[in-house]
Structures are given as structure tokens and as C-alpha cells.
Amino acid sequence: MSLAVSTSAPRHGSRPLAPFGPGSSSSAAATVPTMGVEEEFLLVDRLTRAPVGRAAGVIEAAAGRLGPLVQPEFFTAQVESCTSPTSSTAVLRAELAWLRAELVRAAEAQDCLLVGTGTPVIPPEHPLTITPDERYRRMAVRFASAVGGYDQPVCGCHVHIGVSSRAQALDLANRLRPWLPTLQALSANSPFDRGRDSGHASWRAVEHARWPTVGPAPFLDEASYERIAHDLVQCGALLDRRMIYWYARPSEHVPTLEIRVADVNARLDTVVLLAALVRGLAGVLLPERDEGRPPPFLECGRLREAHRLAALHGLGGGEGLDPVGGAHVPVWDMLDRLRERAAPGLAAAGDLHMVDTLLDRLRTEGGGAARQRAAHVRRGRLADVVDSLAMTTAAA
């Protein structure tokens, strides 16, 4: 499908949209940073639809074509794919589709299905095993309360934005904080958890929070980041810096800011939309540092409440919280605001019309959590939910 750039007025809402906080218009031209995506998938048995620890065989079968783009995750019932950095959304979509296709084929060879969901829909038949890696083993021992009974893998989707320095990454993280609850709501895709409806749109957000540091990133410059990261490791709160699991964090091994707030999604359109919106926002916000414009102030409790509501409701009609002004706002109004804020960055990247098209489709068809529940309502079978997720993941 060919999607041309649109410069027309927004179609999402008929009234002017109030931005989050001060400094909401940008006088500098938007930039087009590079982006990349990591997707964590669940492996389930073809017959039982329960999670199974067959990642080693899947990775071995896929490694000949994917090489380092496919990796193990914490549990042997998970695999992770990683795209190459690119400035083109079309290239990103094509690579995500290729990675999924290769992993689907590799999973089939191990008699299992590749599933894009944040939490297991059906409980495992046996306790899951941790990937035989020394670092994972040490994490499991030191943080046994977070790992629990070895039956709760969580699968996220992480968007990386290319930056020139750690200082720039941290400044961008400070500016993105008001928008991350809305992106969390957009990507919520884990209503079921091991055989039950959790009542949340993203139960992954709740389970993942058992690990230390999971949550909104503190407001930091480079010096304070270095001090806090050092102290967290030195006092034993973390095994190493890679365990800094803030919703926005500078990568320790590549020059990027990593956004870690999203559930993995079966529908590829949702992943592409998420990446485009994050990159569009970054393209608008990055120049503000050079202009000397301060990031908005956020009260920490209010920001956490905004994330709690995003995990609870997703796009399902509940209200969210404006973490700057404190007002309760319909989630789609916040998504409209986000689209308007990102519009110059989206236009600079050639993504504006595509994003409008995907937002319209999402508004009509519902988010991942709503689609999972719809699959369950038809016959009341959790196996149907897993089958729907597997089919959608493979359809990419």
C-alpha cells in the first residue's frame, strides 16, 4: 500500500487540542532521527497453546538467516528479534515483517506457535525454565521474589531512537515523559494472564513492575544519571546497569534512547504506529534542547497514576490523566494531542498520512486488549484467543 504524505488538517477531533504543559510549539525545524525496534515473543505449544521452553531450537533454526537479530530472553519460552537502525518507516516495517516470518517458520519446526502478547493467555503446564545464561541465573537467584514461580514471562516492545550522546538521550527522556502513558495505552495488549481476565488492558505492566526500577524514569541530567546508576549497582539494588528498566533509558551498548513502555503486539500496524509516533515526537523534541527550552515539570505521583490508568484502560474508553495539568481526559483526546505534537516530526519523516490512516483504523477496530477479549467472547475459549494472536502475528 502506498501512503503519501498528508499536510491537511487533522481528522482526529473537531476542536482545538490543548498540549501537555508549556513549551508545546516548536520554532525549530523537526529532525528525522533513526529508529529501531525490539520485539519479545512468546512460544506456545501448537496443541495445548501453553507456553513451552523451546527457544533454543527456534533460535538455532532461525540463526542461519537472522544471525544476531534473533536472541534468547529471560525464559526459554521467549525469543526476541531486533531490527537494524533506519530512518525509513517503510524499511522498518519490511524488516519487522521479515523477522516475524522467519521466526514463525522456525517455531513451526519446533511444533510451536509464535505469539505477540504481553502475558501468557493460558498457563504453562509445567514451571518454565530460565535461559541457561550466567547473568540470567544470577538475576533469578538475587531477585527470586520478582521471578516468582517461574511461570510469568512478560513480553514487551522497545523502540530505540538514535541520539548523538548520553546527555542528549537523557534530555529527550525528560521531554518524552508526559507522552509515555498515552503510548502505553495505545499498545496495551495483555488482558489475559494464565487463564483469567486480569481486568487490565496491560497486565504485563503490573507483572513487570515486580522488578526493581521498572517505572517512569526520574528527571536526570548526565551527571545525576551516572551517580544514580552507580549507586543502584553498588548497593545491590541491581545486578548491573542493564537492569535499569525505566520506561525511557539510555542504552548501555548502542547510542540510543530506549522506550520500554509498550506491550508486544500481534498486529504489525500497531508496532509501526508506535515506532512512528515515538520517532515523530523525538523529531520535534530534540531541537528544543539546542534552543534552551526546558522540559515540562511533572509531579511524580501524578505521572505514576497516568501510567496506572493507561495499563488499566488501554484504549478501552476509560479516562486517562494529563500528567502535567492533572485533569482526567479521555484517552483518545490524549492520543489526538500526541499526534498533533508529533505532526511536524511525522511530516518531516514522510509518516503523517500513514499515521493518520493507522490511527483511524485503530479507532475503528480497537486496540490489542479489546481484540483479545473479542476473540474470547465468540466461544468463551482461551484457545481461540491464542489462535487469533498467532494468526495475526504470522500475518505480518
Side-chain angles (χ1 to χ4, degrees):
M1 177 172 62
S2 176
L3 297 174
V5 176
S6 170
T7 57
S8 60
R11 294 173 287 172
H12 306 288
S14 58
R15 60 180 177 80
L17 298 169
F20 285 151
S24 54
S25 62
S26 180
S27 58
T31 63
V32 184
T34 58
M35 58 186 169
V37 171
E38 298 171 353
E39 293 191 282
E40 299 166 351
F41 296 103
L42 194 65
L43 298 172
V44 303
D45 183 81
R46 182 178 296 279
L47 295 179
T48 67
R49 281 82 159 191
V52 287
R54 299 174 189 163
V58 172
I59 291 170
E60 182 180 3
R65 292 178 61 83
L66 301 186
L69 300 182
V70 58
Q71 300 172 5
E73 250 298 323
F74 188 80
F75 286 104
T76 60
Q78 297 171 280
V79 293
E80 179 183 68
S81 67
C82 313
T83 71
S84 306
T86 180
S87 59
S88 166
T89 307
V91 170
L92 179 73
R93 173 187 281 275
E95 187 168 11
L96 285 167
W98 170 62
L99 289 167
R100 287 183 175 208
E102 293 294 336
L103 287 174
V104 166
R105 281 193 284 270
E108 288 176 349
Q110 299 297 314
D111 204 26
C112 58
L113 303 171
L114 189 78
V115 178
T117 183
T119 48
V121 175
I122 291 174
E125 296 185 305
H126 309 285
L128 298 178
T129 57
I130 292 171
T131 297
D133 171 89
E134 176 61 21
R135 178 173 178 270
Y136 286 155
R137 187 195 65 78
R138 292 171 61 201
M139 287 171 62
V141 171
R142 185 179 298 185
F143 305 100
S145 61
V147 178
Y150 287 40
D151 63 349
Q152 183 53 299
V154 293
C155 297
C157 175
H158 307 154
V159 179
H160 286 257
I161 299 298
V163 293
S164 60
S165 65
R166 176 157 293 166
Q168 188 183 57
L170 290 164
D171 182 81
L172 179 58
N174 292 337
R175 298 177 191 277
L176 279 170
R177 292 164 86 228
W179 305 104
L180 296 187
T182 304
L183 294 168
Q184 181 180 16
L186 179 152
S187 62
N189 183 45
S190 50
F192 294 101
D193 174 56
R194 295 167 292 180
R196 68 183 183 97
D197 190 321
S198 69
H200 283 63
S202 175
W203 188 249
R204 167 191 165 272
V206 178
E207 289 289 345
H208 195 212
R210 294 191 296 174
W211 289 92
T213 73
V214 172
F219 192 98
L220 299 172
D221 59 17
E222 189 169 12
S224 55
Y225 171 82
E226 291 295 333
R227 183 172 60 253
I228 289 175
H230 175 270
D231 290 348
L232 286 170
V233 175
Q234 284 296 109
C235 76
L238 303 179
L239 186 68
D240 52 38
R241 288 190 179 207
R242 291 164 61 192
M243 280 192 69
I244 295 176
Y245 293 146
W246 296 328
Y247 291 154
R249 69 173 186 183
S251 172
E252 288 293 327
H253 63 282
V254 290
T256 67
L257 177 70
E258 182 182 5
I259 305 304
R260 301 173 51 85
V261 76
D263 290 353
V264 71
N265 270 255
R267 183 172 286 189
L268 184 59
D269 277 352
T270 303
V271 180
V272 174
L273 175 61
L274 173 72
L277 287 171
V278 172
R279 199 266 296 272
L281 282 170
V284 171
L285 298 175
L286 281 169
E288 294 184 355
R289 177 173 181 250
D290 296 331
E291 292 182 317
R293 301 172 67 182
F297 170 77
L298 297 180
E299 196 276 322
C300 291
R302 188 183 292 165
L303 182 57
R304 288 187 176 277
E305 176 64 5
H307 279 290
R308 186 190 71 83
L309 291 173
L312 179 63
H313 298 305
L315 296 177
E319 288 192 334
L321 182 69
D322 173 350
V324 175
H328 284 83
V329 181
V331 66
W332 272 101
D333 284 4
M334 295 197 297
L335 196 49
D336 290 339
R337 294 180 186 183
L338 190 156
R339 183 269 186 200
E340 289 309 294
R341 187 72 166 99
L346 294 170
D351 290 342
L352 190 57
H353 180 64
M354 178 202 71
V355 163
D356 282 347
T357 299
L358 296 183
L359 281 172
D360 286 344
R361 189 175 301 164
L362 190 64
R363 190 189 297 266
T364 300
E365 299 177 359
R371 291 194 295 272
Q372 285 199 39
R373 287 182 169 126
H376 184 251
V377 164
R378 283 192 284 271
R379 293 195 299 173
R381 293 177 37 157
L382 290 172
D384 290 350
V385 179
V386 179
D387 290 348
S388 175
L389 287 164
M391 290 177 61
T392 305
T393 304

